[in-house]
Amino acid sequence: MVLTVLGASMSEKSLSLVPPVEVQALFGDPPLLRGEDIGLYNELMGHFAKLVDPKDMIEWWWVKDITDHSWEIRRLRRFKVLFVEIGRDQLFENTQMLTMNAADEDAEYVRPPVPDSEKDSAHLFMYRINQYKSVDTLIASAEARRAKTLGEIERRREHLARRLRKASDEIIDGEFADLREAAE
Amino acid sequence: MTSQAKIAANRRNAQRSTGPRAALAKARVRRNALRHGLAAIVVDDPAVATEVRRAAAAICDPEAAPLDRERALIIAEAQVTLNRIRRARAEIMEQISPAPPIKQLEGPAPMPQVEGNLRRLNQLMRIERYERRALSRRNRAVRLLAMEDNSLRDFEPVDL
């Protein structure tokens, strides 16, 4: 046997598997943004690790791959929604600032409505369509990477890849808050 | 047609300027074409080389055959590259944020600026190919290493 076998700590009833210290050291810092919940990231990784039950370092890297790709896909999907929301907030702030100046000069000036209708959202979406396209391309790329990793696992452990794909799909398609439920 | 005088003048001018001469200037311009360093060979950096060796030791027994150890090194190097790429991606994503409102005192309410975010999204798309390349390199080496394992003797590597 060529591969070095690594153990992991896990209680009988635990729903997740904690990577051993030596594995965590090789993972390095998780690729998270400020404000993202490292606890949730670790929980997600623990959930995938429980399913895979990695036997060596390579399998631990697969677990990290699936975790990182799933996390990234979720993040990018949220970015698409946030682009419109952020645009709406900025447009509102700018409109407020301009109407304050106009109101100072003209007492009968009517303030424009807050841009919160579906039509406003569509307008902002049209304005941000290029960002949407770029994010869609990135999502497709992350999904392809995830599929490739699952393909690698499938070659080695066929049944496991199917379960892992299902778990990853559930986590990507559900809300972050549902992660704990998905793990149960 | 270019005259002989003009050709001679061009040659004289070219010999006057052949790039920076001072060590500091040379050091500065050698990074001109460098954008993110993700295409660089990671083991050139001593700190990264240590990380690669540590990762390779976790994959493969030090007593294993030289070919297996070499494959373990390829896997480790690709993995360290992947870690760097993912950190670089997170750093770029960190910059995709709401721009401050545009301070404009007259005219219609301006729409939010998107150019900065678009530029960063394009950067993210450009680094994709480095990750794809590193993943292919790692997966191929893993498959070859697995072929050495008795339990996977019938394993057929498939090129992606």
Side-chain angles (χ1 to χ4, degrees):
Chain A
M1 180 72 181
V2 169
L3 302 177
T4 306
V5 177
L6 293 164
S9 60
M10 182 182 68
S11 69
E12 279 295 308
K13 289 181 180 176
S14 174
L15 293 166
S16 67
L17 188 66
V18 180
V21 178
E22 62 268 31
V23 169
Q24 287 181 32
L26 290 171
F27 282 171
D29 295 331
L32 299 183
L33 308 187
R34 273 174 295 177
E36 288 184 337
D37 185 350
I38 191 167
L40 205 54
Y41 174 89
N42 288 336
E43 202 173 329
L44 180 60
M45 182 180 282
H47 175 54
F48 289 140
K50 178 77 189 296
L51 283 173
V52 174
D53 190 16
K55 299 287 186 284
D56 55 49
M57 193 60 220
I58 289 166
E59 293 190 357
W60 273 112
W61 274 322
W62 283 340
V63 168
K64 181 172 163 51
D65 276 3
I66 296 294
T67 309
D68 287 352
H69 299 328
S70 303
W71 191 270
E72 191 185 332
I73 294 165
R74 282 300 310 259
R75 176 199 286 154
L76 288 168
R77 286 188 184 179
R78 280 187 55 77
F79 269 24
K80 281 172 62 177
V81 177
L82 287 172
F83 281 153
V84 169
E85 291 296 325
I86 288 163
R88 190 199 311 280
D89 292 347
Q90 288 177 358
L91 186 61
F92 179 61
E93 282 178 40
N94 292 338
T95 308
Q96 286 282 86
M97 192 183 65
L98 288 171
T99 55
M100 273 194 297
N101 292 332
D104 287 345
E105 292 165 11
D106 180 1
E108 292 183 9
Y109 185 83
V110 179
R111 286 175 188 273
V114 176
D116 62 356
S117 69
E118 197 176 25
K119 194 176 166 188
D120 292 320
S121 294
H123 188 201
L124 285 160
F125 172 78
M126 287 294 285
Y127 190 71
R128 301 223 164 199
I129 190 90
N130 284 336
Q131 284 187 330
Y132 258 67
K133 282 182 193 166
S134 301
V135 175
D136 271 341
T137 308
L138 290 170
I139 291 172
S141 185
E143 283 172 344
R145 277 185 267 122
R146 183 179 74 113
K148 203 168 176 178
T149 301
L150 286 167
E152 288 299 316
I153 297 171
E154 207 157 23
R155 284 191 185 93
R156 197 153 160 178
R157 293 160 69 175
E158 192 181 341
H159 302 294
L160 170 69
R162 216 171 298 141
R163 282 166 60 206
L164 198 54
R165 189 186 306 271
K166 184 171 178 288
S168 172
D169 284 346
E170 280 171 4
I171 281 155
I172 290 168
D173 293 334
E175 291 298 318
F176 273 136
D178 293 342
L179 176 60
R180 286 172 186 84
E181 290 169 27
E184 287 167 7
Chain B
M1 187 170 172
T2 314
S3 70
Q4 285 302 318
K6 183 74 180 166
I7 291 170
N10 282 345
R11 283 184 182 152
R12 278 198 305 277
N13 286 339
Q15 286 188 349
R16 276 186 203 150
S17 174
T18 51
R21 290 178 188 174
L24 189 66
K26 283 181 183 173
R28 195 169 55 231
V29 299
R30 72 191 284 263
R31 296 181 67 83
N32 276 355
L34 190 69
R35 286 183 187 155
H36 40 61
L38 295 175
I41 300 164
V42 291
V43 288
D44 282 355
D45 181 335
V48 179
T50 307
E51 200 181 337
V52 168
R53 276 197 300 273
R54 212 155 44 96
I59 299 165
C60 184
D61 195 320
E63 304 299 315
L67 190 61
D68 289 337
R69 277 187 281 134
E70 190 184 319
R71 282 170 186 157
L73 270 174
I74 292 170
I75 296 167
E77 192 192 331
Q79 188 59 45
V80 169
T81 305
L82 284 171
N83 291 347
R84 293 172 72 219
I85 291 167
R86 287 175 194 169
R87 279 197 294 271
R89 179 183 289 125
E91 279 171 27
I92 297 169
M93 281 190 175
E94 197 76 74
Q95 296 165 27
I96 299 177
S97 59
I102 305 154
K103 303 293 179 198
Q104 187 176 309
L105 296 175
E106 54 188 30
M111 294 294 280
Q113 284 186 330
V114 295
E115 288 77 12
N117 280 352
L118 264 180
R119 198 177 60 245
R120 288 177 193 113
L121 287 167
N122 285 335
Q123 281 180 325
L124 287 174
M125 284 197 272
R126 277 200 297 273
I127 66 170
E128 281 292 328
R129 68 189 167 112
Y130 296 109
E131 177 151 14
R132 277 201 303 271
R133 193 185 295 163
L135 273 174
S136 293
R137 191 169 153 78
R138 187 195 70 184
N139 291 342
R140 184 168 177 79
V142 166
R143 278 180 251 139
L144 289 169
L145 191 63
M147 284 177 74
E148 303 297 320
D149 190 343
N150 285 342
S151 62
L152 295 166
R153 194 172 286 283
D154 297 331
F155 183 90
E156 284 292 324
V158 180
D159 278 328
L160 293 175

